[in-house]
Amino acid sequence: METQLDPVKDDLPLMANTSYLLVKHYILDLDVDFKSKVIEGSIVLFFGTGSRYRKASSTGNEGSQSQFDEACKRKTSESCHAPVTNVNASSSETKYNEFAICGKGEDTSDEEQSSRISSSRDICDIENHGNKDFLLILDCCDLSVIKVEEVDVAAVSGIEKFTGFAKLTNVSKELQNLRNQIVHELVTLPADRWKEQLHFFTCCSQAPGCGELLFTSGTWSLEIKKSGIQTPDDFPHAIRIWYKTKPEGRSITWTTDQSGRPCVYTMGSPINNRALFPCQEPPIALSTWQASLRASKGFVVLTSGENSAEPVQLQEGVSSWYYYVTMPMPASTFTIAVGCWQEVKQQSSTAAIQTNTEFSLTSLQADFRWHKEVCSHVEYPCRFQNPAAKLQAVIPYRVFAPWCLMGYCEEHLLQLIPRCLSAAYTTLGTHPFSRLDVLIVPSNFSSLGMASPHIIFLSQSILPGGSHLCGTRLCHEIAHAWFGLAIGARDWTEEWLSEGFATFLEDIFWARAQQQLSHDEVKGQQELKALLRWRRLRDEVQNSEEELQVLR
């Protein structure tokens, strides 16, 4: 019996059991088909051990198994949900909680729609034939999953040179253990070997499958198991999922741009990316990714990536675009936009602004930001430790828009970007990301802007508003590079924190970007905005239900 989710009051369930296996890297290999309004292909997931199972394993194998079994016997689980704003879909009753592996703040309840697992409800129920197989649960909805298989990473040529097979002499000779050990060494490579790591991730993603895995597609999840595998440690650490999206999928929007040409882009909200690819959505699940996307010639593919991808023609009429990210990020921050976008080229005046900005860097070198910084985050090629990145007041950027809006972008947006980037750098220091794409999205975009790693979506509504509206919104989204992306809340119910920081910083950035303003003019401008915000907040409080006025 399914319970309906109230789109205003209820939360989106986070189903992934991240306490035992964490996705460390995704490789997406997808085709974008505008005729059928479907994105299809495969995704390869590389896993590392989750926090709970690492702690259990430290007590020894015997203790690890007993603690895992105890978790399987639980009759209840604590729920963790993400905020829902526009979802009108069915939730599910808790019917798997007697076997699902769930850590604090995670819910594994789901309504089974179609089953390829016999008696999957009782997978970890000791009373059911003594079967206690481990079940991997991923966040997923509005997807047609075709096949799930284990990837034979041991078949990759040259893998033995980098994994150091000498280390494997004390490991069980079973091929499953060998494959998992290879993945473990691959996901734990030091940051200075990131190019080599990406190369072998790619090679492993192209390795053949070595056995199909059983799976169940539910309303909000994809559940996967391998018969006879009872612990996360023995579960395949590299799996490939063949799937396709649905035209009605709520993570992406198929529409036309302002010039009437077809396009598709990620919404980034009510259900995050779970209708784009199976993933782990709790923000503690930080991962890197690579994405190869193919579309018809003439389309431009933009996505969250550190590289400025250029199209590679694969066959007549089809081009491929490749992006990668080496900073571990929540899967929900991945963004894609495919359309007949036109790049707005830099003008000479823009280059002059950038040159003048960088001329003033010598005066900043005495600032505390130039001292050696110690980062406490997980290891990755961090820009805060990169001397060259510390000198980069304006990171490389590109602007894309439909053909009919290029004039507006040339007149307003293009000249503001270096000033806003420089103002952010002067305020906060090193940019967390190495480059930036800015895209004017279709008119059905429901917000003024949205920031993702290496890419910002902006509404067309800000362009006619002159430099002030365009500049303040751009500053707001740039601030999210630090607050919301490089630093984020521990769970999705606290997103107001990053919004608060970005709203506060947009005024500071914009004041510095308007170099011609006096101190009194800046102060008056900020006081006026503060008054307008206060009036808006007062009106919202007076016209909303009391339960919607409480911070969670």
Side-chain angles (χ1 to χ4, degrees):
M1 185 76 183
E2 292 190 345
T3 304
Q4 294 295 317
L5 280 180
D6 186 311
V8 175
K9 301 177 181 179
D10 292 335
D11 293 338
L12 181 69
L14 297 178
M15 312 296 286
N17 51 348
T18 54
S19 291
Y20 290 90
L21 283 178
L22 279 173
V23 179
K24 294 296 186 180
H25 191 74
Y26 297 93
I27 295 190
L28 297 97
D29 187 32
L30 302 172
D31 292 284
V32 182
D33 187 350
F34 281 95
K35 290 183 179 179
S36 60
K37 294 185 178 180
V38 162
I39 299 175
E40 65 178 310
S42 67
I43 181 172
V44 177
L45 289 70
F46 297 87
F47 294 96
T49 305
S51 59
R52 174 166 297 190
Y53 197 66
R54 278 199 302 269
K55 293 176 182 178
S57 299
S58 66
T59 64
N61 291 335
E62 193 171 330
S64 169
Q65 180 64 54
S66 64
Q67 291 185 43
F68 184 83
D69 290 345
E70 184 63 28
C72 285
K73 296 176 186 177
R74 288 187 192 152
K75 298 300 179 182
T76 58
S77 60
E78 297 185 39
S79 297
C80 177
H81 297 79
V84 162
T85 55
N86 297 316
V87 175
N88 185 11
S90 50
S91 179
S92 51
E93 286 187 335
T94 302
K95 70 181 288 184
Y96 287 140
N97 55 12
E98 67 265 46
F99 68 82
I101 308 309
C102 174
K104 183 177 181 181
E106 290 156 8
D107 180 31
T108 56
S109 61
D110 188 31
E111 182 67 28
E112 181 175 318
Q113 288 187 324
S114 60
S115 176
R116 292 184 56 176
I117 304 178
S118 300
S119 302
S120 61
R121 182 183 177 198
D122 299 312
I123 284 174
C124 266
D125 190 342
I126 295 177
E127 297 176 359
N128 182 40
H129 312 297
N131 189 355
K132 298 182 292 182
D133 289 347
F134 171 71
L135 191 73
L136 171 70
I137 304 176
L138 300 174
D139 293 301
C140 172
C141 77
D142 298 339
L143 294 178
S144 296
V145 177
I146 301 165
K147 182 173 72 171
V148 182
E149 63 182 356
E150 181 179 358
V151 179
D152 188 5
V153 296
V156 173
S157 176
I159 198 80
E160 68 281 353
K161 297 179 181 179
F162 118 95
T163 52
F165 272 19
K167 299 178 182 179
L168 302 177
T169 55
N170 295 327
V171 178
S172 170
K173 294 182 180 180
E174 295 180 9
L175 195 53
Q176 180 67 70
N177 290 343
L178 177 63
R179 295 189 188 109
N180 285 356
Q181 182 64 20
I182 290 172
V183 174
H184 170 74
E185 296 201 20
L186 179 57
V187 301
T188 56
L189 274 179
D192 59 0
R193 296 175 65 184
W194 65 270
K195 291 183 179 179
E196 186 179 13
Q197 185 183 47
L198 290 183
H199 168 73
F200 278 99
F201 273 137
T202 301
C203 293
C204 288
S205 72
Q206 298 168 353
C210 54
E212 289 194 32
L213 303 176
L214 302 172
F215 68 89
T216 301
S217 294
T219 305
W220 294 109
S221 67
L222 175 65
E223 303 173 344
I224 305 169
K225 80 155 189 172
K226 182 175 181 178
S227 182
I229 297 301
Q230 300 181 4
T231 67
D233 198 43
D234 295 327
F235 189 83
H237 281 32
I239 65 173
R240 182 185 293 114
I241 302 172
W242 298 89
Y243 74 98
K244 59 183 178 180
T245 64
K246 297 180 180 180
E248 68 273 16
R250 287 162 285 174
S251 292
I252 51 181
T253 295
W254 300 87
T255 185
T256 55
D257 65 19
Q258 292 85 341
S259 296
R261 297 181 177 182
C263 61
V264 61
Y265 66 98
T266 48
M267 291 292 289
S269 58
I271 62 170
N272 294 331
N273 278 328
R274 63 175 65 188
L276 177 60
F277 59 91
C279 57
Q280 293 178 333
E281 288 212 328
I284 62 166
L286 303 178
S287 58
T288 53
W289 57 74
Q290 294 164 272
S292 295
L293 298 116
R294 292 169 293 279
S296 298
K297 187 178 180 181
F299 286 93
V300 174
V301 178
L302 302 176
T303 189
S304 307
E306 296 173 15
N307 57 312
S308 299
E310 296 293 337
V312 175
Q313 186 168 335
L314 298 180
Q315 59 194 47
E316 188 174 355
V318 178
S319 297
S320 177
W321 304 70
Y322 167 76
Y323 291 89
Y324 66 85
V325 162
T326 60
M327 177 193 291
M329 304 286 294
S332 60
T333 62
F334 178 85
T335 302
I336 181 175
V338 184
C340 299
W341 324 120
Q342 303 292 318
E343 183 175 359
V344 185
K345 299 294 184 179
Q346 294 188 19
Q347 304 297 320
S348 57
S349 58
T350 304
I353 294 173
Q354 184 167 340
T355 302
N356 292 337
T357 299
E358 294 178 344
F359 179 77
S360 63
L361 289 180
T362 53
S363 63
L364 295 173
Q365 294 187 10
D367 192 274
F368 73 93
R369 293 190 300 268
W370 298 91
H371 298 164
K372 183 174 178 60
E373 300 177 30
V374 178
C375 296
S376 58
H377 54 66
V378 296
E379 188 177 14
Y380 67 87
C382 176
R383 284 176 53 81
F384 295 98
Q385 301 292 336
N386 185 337
K390 292 186 176 184
L391 294 171
Q392 205 170 20
V394 179
I395 56 178
Y397 60 91
R398 304 183 298 180
V399 177
F400 293 88
W403 179 84
C404 64
L405 295 178
M406 290 184 67
Y408 280 106
C409 292
E410 291 174 2
E411 183 179 356
H412 300 292
L413 181 60
L414 199 61
Q415 299 180 32
L416 289 173
I417 293 177
R419 289 161 51 187
C420 295
L421 287 172
S422 178
Y425 171 84
T426 303
T427 306
L428 296 179
T430 309
H431 290 280
F433 300 102
S434 58
R435 68 172 200 94
L436 176 65
D437 282 341
V438 178
L439 172 66
I440 304 300
V441 286
S443 56
N444 66 342
F445 185 60
S446 59
S447 176
L448 291 178
M450 184 179 75
S452 299
H454 308 281
I455 185 170
I456 288 175
F457 289 172
L458 290 179
S459 168
Q460 64 175 18
S461 303
I462 69 169
L463 296 177
S467 60
H468 182 81
L469 179 59
C470 193
T472 54
R473 175 47 54 172
L474 186 59
C475 287
H476 180 99
E477 303 305 334
I478 289 174
H480 276 308
W482 285 267
F483 297 98
L485 294 175
I487 302 173
R490 288 180 180 265
D491 74 79
W492 297 130
T493 64
E494 305 298 342
E495 286 184 283
W496 64 274
L497 285 167
S498 60
E499 287 301 327
F501 278 112
T503 300
F504 171 74
L505 286 167
E506 74 177 55
D507 290 345
I508 298 175
F509 289 180
W510 182 234
R512 287 181 167 172
Q514 300 174 93
Q515 299 168 349
Q516 74 278 13
L517 294 184
S518 67
H519 174 75
D520 290 340
E521 289 174 320
V522 169
K523 184 177 179 181
Q525 191 178 97
Q526 292 178 348
E527 288 178 348
L528 178 59
K529 289 189 70 174
L531 175 61
L532 293 175
R533 287 171 181 155
W534 161 248
R535 287 183 174 177
R536 185 171 62 186
L537 176 62
R538 181 194 61 191
D539 292 343
E540 288 179 358
V541 170
Q542 291 175 349
N543 294 281
S544 61
E545 298 178 22
E546 185 176 353
E547 61 183 19
L548 297 179
Q549 302 172 19
V550 179
L551 295 177
R552 300 162 58 112

